[in-house]
Amino acid sequence: MRTICLYFEIHQIIHLKRYRFFDIGSDHYYYDDYANETSINEVAERSYIPALNTLIEMVKKSERTFKVALSISGVALEQLEFHAPAVLDLLHQLNDTGNCEFLCEPYSHGLSSLANEACFREEVLRQRSKIKQMFGKQPTVFRNSSLIYSDEIGAMVASMGFKGMLTEGAKHVLGWKSPHYVYHCNQAPGLKLLLRDFKLSDDISLRFSNSEWSEYPLFADRYISWIDALPQEEQVVNIFMELSALGMAQPLSSNILEFLKALPECAKAKGITFSTPSEIVAKLKSISQLDVPYPMSWTDEERDTSSWLGNVLQREAFNKLYSVAERVHLCDDRRIKQDWDYLQASNNFRFMTTKNTGVWLDRGIYDSPYDAFTNYMNILGDFIKRVDALYPVDVDNEELNPLLTTIRNQGEEINDLQEELARWQEKAAKESAKVKKNASKKKIVKEAESPVEKKTVARSKKKDAAEK
């Protein structure tokens, strides 16, 4: 039976303020609070709240046959907790339906998977713990920032215990193959890969309200008919996009939510179901390995990392940032850790792109890629000075490496102990349930004794007492 895997991403940009060269060393706060508050409230009101209400309604009206997956960056969760708690309430309501799966991703929505394995592992494990804490279930499927994937990244993700990973069905990787099958990582066969159908996804997220599009206006029955017309052996259709596409990229006035609401009924009429990523990973076998020697993503026509690292400005900023990764990893200063998360976010490098993609890019306060680079490097200059004050540059690698090794070993030991604790807690819960069940049985048996038996026992006791 053919199934649709519908997934939405939630990430919120942290806006940096105008930071000049002369601020370095004197001003350690880098953010435009007004822009951050207004932007997240705008996207919450125009997109997140109506979209999440719609998803909850779809689950209930479909008699819980409609299913959806979400991933939320740690940075976005922080902003939602602070500025838009109503969105978090809706996320919990959606989670309570039992038909929503929360995936894991890098905490910062950054590019650490391309730069530093230790940083990547640390923020992925931190995000996994946060998702489990908030929504009660540990994610088993991973999605990288902007669906970035390569063979090496897949191996790292598999080593952290994930069973599946979402990525792009890029033409230059797939060639003649279809994205409508389950594949696996060539370095870790146990990691299954779900590939985005970029055409069907972009039909909703990019083209839905475009009156010049040849398929405009798009209705749910026609959209489902395209899926139904696929070869019968192609069983999985992965439709991945940002949640903000519903309301921001595609305005609510375009009836995008009405279109979405109609999908489950139209799919049901064609015998098409909805599944979460973990369900697909558990049920379907991989048909082949996927060979991706160079990183790919879901961004721009090239589907690579050139949107963030395509010019010399971006690479200079990127290399400068991760030059202090090991020192940041050592420190326990909460402000530095938080700034590190915010400065890693991929949008900081996206603002510096000089690519002409034909799609308008909102650079915020920046007039040009060079303006974005200058502002970011000024902030980075101050940040590095603060890190160097904790761990001076004259501390060589011979001194750092033993510390890093100790921290890494302690982190692994803590993770092992937490897993063991979880196993024992589960075992204790089972034993407790068993004891309660046995006690309940004994109570029932005792209550079931007949009055005649009770009188016989009483007479026997009375007789024994008299004889004594």
Side-chain angles (χ1 to χ4, degrees):
M1 182 180 287
R2 182 169 292 133
T3 192
I4 295 172
C5 180
L6 184 62
Y7 154 81
F8 294 102
E9 168 204 307
I10 297 178
H11 171 60
Q12 186 62 28
I13 290 175
I14 300 295
H15 296 273
L16 302 178
K17 70 181 182 183
R18 182 64 69 178
Y19 194 94
R20 307 195 182 280
F21 176 79
F22 299 103
D23 295 325
I24 298 174
S26 60
D27 182 2
H28 303 319
Y29 193 76
Y30 311 136
Y31 313 107
D32 186 335
D33 290 334
Y34 176 77
N36 286 323
E37 183 175 359
T38 54
S39 64
I40 195 166
N41 283 328
E42 181 185 18
V43 74
E45 291 174 13
R46 289 176 54 189
S47 173
Y48 293 163
I49 291 174
L52 289 170
N53 274 317
T54 297
L55 293 175
I56 294 168
E57 182 185 340
M58 289 168 69
V59 172
K60 292 177 179 177
K61 281 195 172 182
S62 68
E63 297 179 349
R64 302 188 183 276
T65 58
F66 172 74
K67 299 176 183 179
V68 68
L70 291 171
S71 73
I72 315 165
S73 69
V75 167
L77 283 171
E78 288 183 15
Q79 293 298 297
L80 291 172
E81 285 174 319
F82 193 70
H83 295 298
V87 176
L88 286 181
D89 289 342
L90 290 172
L91 287 169
H92 283 292
Q93 288 180 40
L94 185 57
N95 182 51
D96 290 341
T97 66
N99 283 37
C100 177
E101 178 178 2
F102 288 91
L103 311 185
C104 187
E105 67 169 83
Y107 190 95
S108 69
H109 195 78
L111 307 173
S112 58
S113 61
L114 303 173
N116 188 294
E117 181 177 346
C119 288
F120 178 63
R121 288 179 178 275
E122 185 277 330
E123 62 173 328
V124 168
L125 295 176
R126 180 157 46 105
Q127 177 69 358
R128 184 163 68 180
S129 296
K130 189 171 183 71
I131 293 296
K132 184 179 180 181
Q133 176 191 353
M134 291 193 72
F135 301 109
K137 192 172 182 181
Q138 183 164 290
T140 59
V141 178
F142 181 78
R143 62 88 59 188
N144 203 1
S145 309
S146 300
L147 298 189
I148 292 173
Y149 175 82
S150 69
D151 298 333
E152 186 178 351
I153 292 171
M156 285 193 289
V157 170
S159 69
M160 287 184 274
F162 291 99
K163 304 301 181 185
M165 184 171 177
L166 275 54
T167 188
E168 177 70 2
K171 283 184 177 179
H172 71 274
V173 171
L174 281 175
W176 57 269
K177 297 177 183 177
S178 167
H180 305 139
Y181 294 97
V182 176
Y183 295 86
H184 65 263
C185 173
N186 70 357
Q187 292 187 16
L191 182 75
K192 293 181 180 177
L193 304 175
L194 304 184
L195 308 186
R196 173 179 180 258
D197 184 316
F198 63 84
K199 182 190 177 300
L200 288 172
S201 300
D202 292 348
D203 284 343
I204 299 175
S205 64
L206 297 182
R207 292 183 280 271
F208 183 82
S209 62
N210 182 4
S211 58
E212 296 181 0
W213 181 34
S214 61
E215 301 293 344
Y216 179 86
L218 179 62
F219 294 99
D221 56 349
R222 183 144 54 103
Y223 186 80
I224 293 296
S225 72
W226 296 344
I227 295 174
D228 187 53
L230 294 169
Q232 283 301 311
E233 61 272 15
E234 298 186 8
Q235 294 295 300
V236 183
V237 180
N238 300 308
I239 301 171
F240 306 158
M241 67 192 79
E242 295 177 352
L243 187 63
S244 60
L246 310 178
M248 299 296 287
Q250 308 304 320
L252 298 182
S253 59
S254 69
N255 292 321
I256 183 71
L257 296 184
E258 284 67 26
F259 166 84
L260 200 68
K261 287 177 187 177
L263 287 178
E265 193 63 34
C266 293
K268 185 179 179 181
K270 297 287 188 180
I272 299 171
T273 63
F274 286 84
S275 300
T276 61
S278 61
E279 287 177 340
I280 294 172
V281 166
K283 290 178 182 177
L284 298 183
K285 293 181 180 180
S286 167
I287 65 159
S288 171
Q289 70 178 30
L290 199 68
D291 300 314
V292 190
Y294 303 104
M296 65 175 176
S297 75
W298 71 355
T299 304
D300 293 345
E301 189 65 29
E302 295 83 0
R303 303 289 198 267
D304 58 12
T305 59
S306 58
S307 295
W308 309 280
L309 302 174
N311 64 42
V312 68
L313 301 176
Q314 293 169 310
R315 291 191 293 273
E316 171 65 19
F318 182 77
N319 293 333
K320 192 75 173 175
L321 174 67
Y322 284 100
S323 69
V324 294
E326 292 182 342
R327 297 170 196 277
V328 172
H329 195 52
L330 284 173
C331 91
D332 55 3
D333 187 300
R334 291 180 61 188
R335 280 289 304 277
I336 284 181
K337 290 285 193 182
Q338 186 178 57
D339 291 340
W340 173 250
D341 284 334
Y342 294 170
L343 292 176
Q344 282 190 93
S346 61
N347 53 276
N348 293 312
F349 303 97
R350 175 73 163 161
F351 293 148
M352 303 176 201
T353 185
T354 51
K355 288 176 64 178
N356 182 10
T357 62
V359 179
W360 179 71
L361 173 64
D362 182 5
R363 298 183 196 271
I365 62 172
Y366 306 124
D367 299 324
S368 67
Y370 312 99
D371 186 24
F373 172 76
T374 301
N375 200 68
Y376 184 80
M377 292 303 282
N378 286 341
I379 290 173
L380 194 54
D382 182 78
F383 177 75
I384 290 175
K385 283 175 71 74
R386 290 164 58 204
V387 174
D388 287 344
L390 291 173
Y391 298 98
V393 291
D394 57 0
V395 177
D396 58 26
N397 287 335
E398 289 185 3
E399 293 177 76
L400 277 177
N401 286 336
L403 288 171
L404 290 171
T405 301
T406 301
I407 290 172
R408 196 174 295 117
N409 291 340
Q410 287 176 341
E412 290 173 358
E413 187 177 348
I414 289 170
N415 288 333
D416 291 341
L417 289 171
Q418 286 176 337
E419 289 176 3
E420 187 176 353
L421 176 62
R423 285 196 298 270
W424 280 106
Q425 285 175 335
E426 185 179 354
K427 189 175 180 181
K430 287 180 180 177
E431 288 296 326
S432 176
K434 203 177 193 180
V435 169
K436 286 180 181 178
K437 189 176 180 182
N438 290 336
S440 178
K441 282 182 179 178
K442 287 179 180 178
K443 186 178 180 183
I444 292 170
V445 170
K446 189 173 181 181
E447 290 175 350
E449 288 180 349
S450 67
V452 175
E453 289 174 328
K454 289 181 179 178
K455 287 179 181 179
T456 302
V457 171
R459 279 197 296 267
S460 177
K461 286 183 179 178
K462 194 174 180 180
K463 185 178 178 182
D464 288 345
E467 288 177 353
K468 289 179 181 178

